[in-house]
Amino acid sequence: GGGGGGMTRSLSSPDVHKDLSSSASASDLDSASVASGSQSPSYKVFVLLLRPSDRIFELIQVLYDPRTATVGDLLDLIPGNATESRLGRQIHVGLLRPNSGGGGDNGGDGSDDLADLTDLNMAASSSSNTSPGRDGLTNNGTAPRSASIHRGEILVAIPD
């Protein structure tokens, strides 16, 4: 026998086509805001939500302003974007960058990135307001810290 023991899809999974039509309007807004230049730019990232105890998961997209958002801000956007209510209500303590298997474009070995994505006050993207001044330091004299989340990146939300 078999087939019944694996993870099951989120109840929202069969509505993929419906979600695609609503996401098209979100990407249209993203393009319009970048083209007009008057609104704040937005990055779209994908976040995998997991609830192993219930064997459910969902991949959501989150739009955020890379100039101001922190890792905590991205986590705060999860409930409004999750269609599976149990995943939306779940507490998340950080984000995890899946191992890409060989040097991303952030120049590091990735080991620090994993720990850094649990600092909820850290800038989500390097274009955040913690960007260095002309001397290469931030206002408080420290090197800028960023989770270096890039547009289109896929992350995993860490459940509490």
Side-chain angles (χ1 to χ4, degrees), residues 123-138:
S125 299
S126 55
S127 61
S128 294
N129 57 6
T130 57
S131 295
R134 291 187 358 194
D135 60 359
L137 301 176
T138 58

mmCIF file with all atom_site columns, all heavy atoms in Angstrom, residues 123-138:
data_model
loop_
_atom_site.group_PDB
_atom_site.id
_atom_site.type_symbol
_atom_site.label_atom_id
_atom_site.label_alt_id
_atom_site.label_comp_id
_atom_site.label_asym_id
_atom_site.label_entity_id
_atom_site.label_seq_id
_atom_site.pdbx_PDB_ins_code
_atom_site.Cartn_x
_atom_site.Cartn_y
_atom_site.Cartn_z
_atom_site.occupancy
_atom_site.B_iso_or_equiv
_atom_site.pdbx_formal_charge
_atom_site.auth_seq_id
_atom_site.auth_comp_id
_atom_site.auth_asym_id
_atom_site.auth_atom_id
_atom_site.pdbx_PDB_model_num
ATOM 1   N N   . ALA A 1 123 ? 17.718 45.012 9.244  1.00 0.00 ? 123 ALA A N   1
ATOM 2   C CA  . ALA A 1 123 ? 17.186 45.408 7.949  1.00 0.00 ? 123 ALA A CA  1
ATOM 3   C C   . ALA A 1 123 ? 17.024 44.170 7.073  1.00 0.00 ? 123 ALA A C   1
ATOM 4   O O   . ALA A 1 123 ? 17.893 43.311 7.033  1.00 0.00 ? 123 ALA A O   1
ATOM 5   C CB  . ALA A 1 123 ? 18.135 46.399 7.290  1.00 0.00 ? 123 ALA A CB  1
ATOM 6   N N   . ALA A 1 124 ? 15.898 44.087 6.379  1.00 0.00 ? 124 ALA A N   1
ATOM 7   C CA  . ALA A 1 124 ? 15.639 42.931 5.533  1.00 0.00 ? 124 ALA A CA  1
ATOM 8   C C   . ALA A 1 124 ? 16.539 42.926 4.301  1.00 0.00 ? 124 ALA A C   1
ATOM 9   O O   . ALA A 1 124 ? 17.057 41.892 3.908  1.00 0.00 ? 124 ALA A O   1
ATOM 10  C CB  . ALA A 1 124 ? 14.169 42.903 5.117  1.00 0.00 ? 124 ALA A CB  1
ATOM 11  N N   . SER A 1 125 ? 16.726 44.092 3.706  1.00 0.00 ? 125 SER A N   1
ATOM 12  C CA  . SER A 1 125 ? 17.510 44.193 2.474  1.00 0.00 ? 125 SER A CA  1
ATOM 13  C C   . SER A 1 125 ? 18.578 45.256 2.627  1.00 0.00 ? 125 SER A C   1
ATOM 14  O O   . SER A 1 125 ? 18.430 46.186 3.407  1.00 0.00 ? 125 SER A O   1
ATOM 15  C CB  . SER A 1 125 ? 16.601 44.525 1.292  1.00 0.00 ? 125 SER A CB  1
ATOM 16  O OG  . SER A 1 125 ? 15.642 43.505 1.117  1.00 0.00 ? 125 SER A OG  1
ATOM 17  N N   . SER A 1 126 ? 19.628 45.123 1.863  1.00 0.00 ? 126 SER A N   1
ATOM 18  C CA  . SER A 1 126 ? 20.762 46.027 2.022  1.00 0.00 ? 126 SER A CA  1
ATOM 19  C C   . SER A 1 126 ? 20.445 47.454 1.605  1.00 0.00 ? 126 SER A C   1
ATOM 20  O O   . SER A 1 126 ? 21.175 48.365 1.930  1.00 0.00 ? 126 SER A O   1
ATOM 21  C CB  . SER A 1 126 ? 21.969 45.519 1.241  1.00 0.00 ? 126 SER A CB  1
ATOM 22  O OG  . SER A 1 126 ? 21.619 45.327 -0.110 1.00 0.00 ? 126 SER A OG  1
ATOM 23  N N   . SER A 1 127 ? 19.327 47.670 0.912  1.00 0.00 ? 127 SER A N   1
ATOM 24  C CA  . SER A 1 127 ? 18.960 49.027 0.524  1.00 0.00 ? 127 SER A CA  1
ATOM 25  C C   . SER A 1 127 ? 18.152 49.717 1.618  1.00 0.00 ? 127 SER A C   1
ATOM 26  O O   . SER A 1 127 ? 17.604 50.778 1.406  1.00 0.00 ? 127 SER A O   1
ATOM 27  C CB  . SER A 1 127 ? 18.162 49.009 -0.778 1.00 0.00 ? 127 SER A CB  1
ATOM 28  O OG  . SER A 1 127 ? 16.975 48.274 -0.616 1.00 0.00 ? 127 SER A OG  1
ATOM 29  N N   . SER A 1 128 ? 18.086 49.103 2.797  1.00 0.00 ? 128 SER A N   1
ATOM 30  C CA  . SER A 1 128 ? 17.318 49.672 3.898  1.00 0.00 ? 128 SER A CA  1
ATOM 31  C C   . SER A 1 128 ? 17.946 50.953 4.419  1.00 0.00 ? 128 SER A C   1
ATOM 32  O O   . SER A 1 128 ? 19.051 51.317 4.054  1.00 0.00 ? 128 SER A O   1
ATOM 33  C CB  . SER A 1 128 ? 17.235 48.684 5.061  1.00 0.00 ? 128 SER A CB  1
ATOM 34  O OG  . SER A 1 128 ? 16.498 47.566 4.708  1.00 0.00 ? 128 SER A OG  1
ATOM 35  N N   . ASN A 1 129 ? 17.241 51.593 5.352  1.00 0.00 ? 129 ASN A N   1
ATOM 36  C CA  . ASN A 1 129 ? 17.692 52.869 5.897  1.00 0.00 ? 129 ASN A CA  1
ATOM 37  C C   . ASN A 1 129 ? 18.916 52.723 6.792  1.00 0.00 ? 129 ASN A C   1
ATOM 38  O O   . ASN A 1 129 ? 19.379 53.696 7.349  1.00 0.00 ? 129 ASN A O   1
ATOM 39  C CB  . ASN A 1 129 ? 16.555 53.557 6.646  1.00 0.00 ? 129 ASN A CB  1
ATOM 40  C CG  . ASN A 1 129 ? 15.993 52.697 7.754  1.00 0.00 ? 129 ASN A CG  1
ATOM 41  O OD1 . ASN A 1 129 ? 16.521 51.621 8.042  1.00 0.00 ? 129 ASN A OD1 1
ATOM 42  N ND2 . ASN A 1 129 ? 14.914 53.149 8.366  1.00 0.00 ? 129 ASN A ND2 1
ATOM 43  N N   . THR A 1 130 ? 19.458 51.520 6.909  1.00 0.00 ? 130 THR A N   1
ATOM 44  C CA  . THR A 1 130 ? 20.693 51.332 7.666  1.00 0.00 ? 130 THR A CA  1
ATOM 45  C C   . THR A 1 130 ? 21.895 51.377 6.729  1.00 0.00 ? 130 THR A C   1
ATOM 46  O O   . THR A 1 130 ? 22.962 50.934 7.084  1.00 0.00 ? 130 THR A O   1
ATOM 47  C CB  . THR A 1 130 ? 20.677 49.982 8.414  1.00 0.00 ? 130 THR A CB  1
ATOM 48  O OG1 . THR A 1 130 ? 20.479 48.958 7.453  1.00 0.00 ? 130 THR A OG1 1
ATOM 49  C CG2 . THR A 1 130 ? 19.587 49.938 9.449  1.00 0.00 ? 130 THR A CG2 1
ATOM 50  N N   . SER A 1 131 ? 21.678 51.898 5.528  1.00 0.00 ? 131 SER A N   1
ATOM 51  C CA  . SER A 1 131 ? 22.776 51.973 4.566  1.00 0.00 ? 131 SER A CA  1
ATOM 52  C C   . SER A 1 131 ? 23.887 52.853 5.115  1.00 0.00 ? 131 SER A C   1
ATOM 53  O O   . SER A 1 131 ? 23.629 53.823 5.818  1.00 0.00 ? 131 SER A O   1
ATOM 54  C CB  . SER A 1 131 ? 22.283 52.549 3.237  1.00 0.00 ? 131 SER A CB  1
ATOM 55  O OG  . SER A 1 131 ? 21.354 51.683 2.653  1.00 0.00 ? 131 SER A OG  1
ATOM 56  N N   . PRO A 1 132 ? 25.120 52.530 4.772  1.00 0.00 ? 132 PRO A N   1
ATOM 57  C CA  . PRO A 1 132 ? 26.241 53.299 5.301  1.00 0.00 ? 132 PRO A CA  1
ATOM 58  C C   . PRO A 1 132 ? 26.307 54.698 4.714  1.00 0.00 ? 132 PRO A C   1
ATOM 59  O O   . PRO A 1 132 ? 25.841 54.936 3.605  1.00 0.00 ? 132 PRO A O   1
ATOM 60  C CB  . PRO A 1 132 ? 27.460 52.474 4.876  1.00 0.00 ? 132 PRO A CB  1
ATOM 61  C CG  . PRO A 1 132 ? 26.994 51.690 3.697  1.00 0.00 ? 132 PRO A CG  1
ATOM 62  C CD  . PRO A 1 132 ? 25.529 51.427 3.924  1.00 0.00 ? 132 PRO A CD  1
ATOM 63  N N   . GLY A 1 133 ? 26.889 55.599 5.469  1.00 0.00 ? 133 GLY A N   1
ATOM 64  C CA  . GLY A 1 133 ? 27.131 56.950 4.985  1.00 0.00 ? 133 GLY A CA  1
ATOM 65  C C   . GLY A 1 133 ? 28.396 56.976 4.148  1.00 0.00 ? 133 GLY A C   1
ATOM 66  O O   . GLY A 1 133 ? 28.941 55.934 3.780  1.00 0.00 ? 133 GLY A O   1
ATOM 67  N N   . ARG A 1 134 ? 28.913 58.172 3.882  1.00 0.00 ? 134 ARG A N   1
ATOM 68  C CA  . ARG A 1 134 ? 30.102 58.290 3.032  1.00 0.00 ? 134 ARG A CA  1
ATOM 69  C C   . ARG A 1 134 ? 31.319 57.646 3.681  1.00 0.00 ? 134 ARG A C   1
ATOM 70  O O   . ARG A 1 134 ? 32.231 57.219 2.990  1.00 0.00 ? 134 ARG A O   1
ATOM 71  C CB  . ARG A 1 134 ? 30.381 59.764 2.740  1.00 0.00 ? 134 ARG A CB  1
ATOM 72  C CG  . ARG A 1 134 ? 29.307 60.329 1.846  1.00 0.00 ? 134 ARG A CG  1
ATOM 73  C CD  . ARG A 1 134 ? 29.551 61.731 1.360  1.00 0.00 ? 134 ARG A CD  1
ATOM 74  N NE  . ARG A 1 134 ? 30.749 62.373 1.836  1.00 0.00 ? 134 ARG A NE  1
ATOM 75  C CZ  . ARG A 1 134 ? 30.981 63.657 1.731  1.00 0.00 ? 134 ARG A CZ  1
ATOM 76  N NH1 . ARG A 1 134 ? 30.085 64.435 1.175  1.00 0.00 ? 134 ARG A NH1 1
ATOM 77  N NH2 . ARG A 1 134 ? 32.102 64.193 2.176  1.00 0.00 ? 134 ARG A NH2 1
ATOM 78  N N   . ASP A 1 135 ? 31.326 57.560 5.003  1.00 0.00 ? 135 ASP A N   1
ATOM 79  C CA  . ASP A 1 135 ? 32.469 56.948 5.685  1.00 0.00 ? 135 ASP A CA  1
ATOM 80  C C   . ASP A 1 135 ? 32.348 55.418 5.769  1.00 0.00 ? 135 ASP A C   1
ATOM 81  O O   . ASP A 1 135 ? 33.197 54.758 6.333  1.00 0.00 ? 135 ASP A O   1
ATOM 82  C CB  . ASP A 1 135 ? 32.650 57.536 7.083  1.00 0.00 ? 135 ASP A CB  1
ATOM 83  C CG  . ASP A 1 135 ? 31.428 57.333 7.968  1.00 0.00 ? 135 ASP A CG  1
ATOM 84  O OD1 . ASP A 1 135 ? 30.422 56.751 7.490  1.00 0.00 ? 135 ASP A OD1 1
ATOM 85  O OD2 . ASP A 1 135 ? 31.480 57.754 9.127  1.00 0.00 ? 135 ASP A OD2 1
ATOM 86  N N   . GLY A 1 136 ? 31.242 54.864 5.219  1.00 0.00 ? 136 GLY A N   1
ATOM 87  C CA  . GLY A 1 136 ? 31.058 53.417 5.239  1.00 0.00 ? 136 GLY A CA  1
ATOM 88  C C   . GLY A 1 136 ? 30.418 52.910 6.522  1.00 0.00 ? 136 GLY A C   1
ATOM 89  O O   . GLY A 1 136 ? 30.242 51.715 6.699  1.00 0.00 ? 136 GLY A O   1
ATOM 90  N N   . LEU A 1 137 ? 30.080 53.823 7.438  1.00 0.00 ? 137 LEU A N   1
ATOM 91  C CA  . LEU A 1 137 ? 29.468 53.428 8.701  1.00 0.00 ? 137 LEU A CA  1
ATOM 92  C C   . LEU A 1 137 ? 28.058 54.000 8.798  1.00 0.00 ? 137 LEU A C   1
ATOM 93  O O   . LEU A 1 137 ? 27.724 54.978 8.140  1.00 0.00 ? 137 LEU A O   1
ATOM 94  C CB  . LEU A 1 137 ? 30.305 53.948 9.889  1.00 0.00 ? 137 LEU A CB  1
ATOM 95  C CG  . LEU A 1 137 ? 31.752 53.465 9.939  1.00 0.00 ? 137 LEU A CG  1
ATOM 96  C CD1 . LEU A 1 137 ? 32.480 54.143 11.100 1.00 0.00 ? 137 LEU A CD1 1
ATOM 97  C CD2 . LEU A 1 137 ? 31.802 51.955 10.087 1.00 0.00 ? 137 LEU A CD2 1
ATOM 98  N N   . THR A 1 138 ? 27.238 53.392 9.643  1.00 0.00 ? 138 THR A N   1
ATOM 99  C CA  . THR A 1 138 ? 25.897 53.913 9.883  1.00 0.00 ? 138 THR A CA  1
ATOM 100 C C   . THR A 1 138 ? 25.984 55.043 10.896 1.00 0.00 ? 138 THR A C   1
ATOM 101 O O   . THR A 1 138 ? 27.055 55.358 11.407 1.00 0.00 ? 138 THR A O   1
ATOM 102 C CB  . THR A 1 138 ? 24.975 52.802 10.436 1.00 0.00 ? 138 THR A CB  1
ATOM 103 O OG1 . THR A 1 138 ? 25.545 52.294 11.631 1.00 0.00 ? 138 THR A OG1 1
ATOM 104 C CG2 . THR A 1 138 ? 24.804 51.677 9.429  1.00 0.00 ? 138 THR A CG2 1
#
